[in-house]
Amino acid sequence: MQSTGIRASYASPTLDAIVALLHEKLTRYNWVGFYMLEKDGDRDVLVLDSFKGAMTPHTCIPLNQGVCGAAASTGKTVVVDDVNSDPRYLACSLETKSEIVVAVCVHGKVVGELDIDSHFAAAFGPGDRALCEHAAVVLGRFLERTPS
Ligand code: SME
């Protein structure tokens, strides 16, 4: 697997800090992590990067699979109020009830995404969406300004 350069070591402390802040401060954010796009041969895949929460079996997700794949391939935020009623959902934990996935863009191109799971149904309202999208924008701007 080949790195795009976005996962270079300079980015890791920033990803870690955003994950830690969201996971520690928002009590309903039970799993918080970043997936970053990498090349696997000639296809793009989402590779698990910094995260907090239970280990997930989904460490590498093709763009045509999962809620994560839907968000990364469209660049649009996906909010799932009830994961059990969404056929796209790839189960990470039996406790997960709802999920939000927000794309991270660099110069208008998706380079990864912020993924958050909650043990509570419909945990991600408009305020959560705004917060997560803001975090993704801040990270994207940081990555734009930092040489790879
Ligand atoms: N639920 C995601 C997979 C990642 S885990 O939640 C950490 C999905 O459906 O793509």
Side-chain angles (χ1 to χ4, degrees):
M1 198 169 288
Q2 182 191 336
S3 171
T4 57
I6 293 300
R7 291 179 75 238
S9 58
Y10 69 81
S12 296
T14 308
L15 300 185
D16 291 347
I18 295 170
V19 165
L21 192 64
L22 293 173
H23 190 257
E24 284 163 22
K25 300 291 183 193
L26 283 301
T27 53
R28 291 182 175 215
Y29 293 12
N30 302 110
W31 191 98
V32 179
F34 283 101
Y35 285 89
M36 302 307 282
L37 274 182
E38 291 195 26
K39 285 279 180 209
D40 181 17
D42 57 1
R43 68 173 188 161
D44 288 323
V45 291
L46 292 158
V47 177
L48 182 62
D49 202 292
S50 180
F51 75 97
K52 276 189 181 284
M55 187 57 199
T56 172
H58 304 294
T59 56
C60 182
I61 303 174
L63 289 184
N64 62 350
Q65 289 182 21
V67 178
C68 287
S73 58
T74 62
K76 295 190 186 327
T77 298
V78 180
V79 176
V80 180
D81 288 341
D82 172 12
V83 294
N84 292 315
S85 67
D86 192 319
R88 299 171 298 182
Y89 175 65
L90 300 172
C92 167
S93 151
L94 289 176
E95 292 179 296
T96 296
K97 300 287 192 300
S98 59
E99 179 167 13
I100 184 170
V101 187
V102 179
V104 175
C105 296
V106 167
H107 299 304
K109 190 164 167 271
V110 176
V111 297
E113 62 190 20
L114 173 61
D115 178 19
I116 305 178
D117 293 350
S118 178
H119 296 172
F120 298 84
F124 304 105
D128 298 277
R129 183 185 179 122
L131 173 68
C132 295
E133 289 180 342
H134 181 68
V137 166
V138 168
L139 176 61
R141 286 186 185 151
F142 170 78
L143 294 172
E144 283 173 1
R145 289 188 195 134
T146 311
S148 55

